[in-house]
Amino acid sequence: MKDGKAKEQKGGIELEFDLDEPPQKVWRAISIPEFRENWLPKDALADPTPATITPGEEVRYSLRDDAPPFLESTVTFTIVPNATGGTRLRIIHELTDARLDRMAETAANSNSPLLMLAA
């Protein structure tokens, strides 16, 4: 891996890496369950089947936290060849849980102060 760039966006994070490995090898690591399991265990997935897939280019998985409030998100892996014969890997992790929108809307429409529970 040569370099990594991170960019925070609303509700998620975007990472980009230039890898020395060819796109075919990176694609296998992100799309074949036996290889993916080494770094993204199926226990972290809401569904082990990809939510969307464009063979050789992009795969998206649905995730669910393993602790309350069990928020849902998606992680998208996009690969393209880079100028050195390796691969540019882009990872976008976004919160997609509809409950977050409802909580934000409720808070915005409420005149009462927010209450927080102490740990």
Side-chain angles (χ1 to χ4, degrees):
M1 184 169 18
K2 291 185 180 162
D3 66 354
K5 299 175 199 166
K7 182 170 67 172
E8 192 172 336
Q9 27 181 50
K10 184 180 177 193
I13 189 165
E14 181 178 329
L15 304 166
E16 195 170 279
F17 301 95
D18 275 319
L19 307 173
D20 294 329
E21 302 300 331
Q24 302 88 331
K25 189 169 186 177
V26 175
W27 178 252
R28 290 169 45 98
I30 63 175
S31 66
I32 296 176
E34 293 80 20
F35 297 136
R36 189 215 63 238
E37 183 74 19
N38 289 320
W39 55 273
L40 181 60
K42 65 181 173 188
D43 294 343
L45 301 174
D47 183 351
T49 304
T52 63
I53 189 168
T54 304
E57 296 176 16
E58 182 178 285
V59 62
R60 176 176 295 134
Y61 296 101
S62 297
L63 306 174
R64 182 177 301 118
D65 286 345
D66 62 354
F70 305 106
L71 294 176
E72 295 180 2
S73 60
T74 61
V75 63
T76 304
F77 301 93
T78 305
I79 64 170
V80 295
N82 65 18
T84 62
T87 304
R88 173 152 298 153
L89 172 64
R90 186 169 166 218
I91 303 169
I92 302 172
H93 188 189
E94 300 174 289
L95 283 172
T96 57
D97 200 304
R99 294 174 294 168
L100 293 174
D101 293 334
R102 287 193 300 272
M103 286 188 288
E105 184 178 303
T106 300
N109 291 327
S110 174
N111 289 333
S112 60
L114 292 176
L115 297 177
M116 296 180 69
L117 298 176

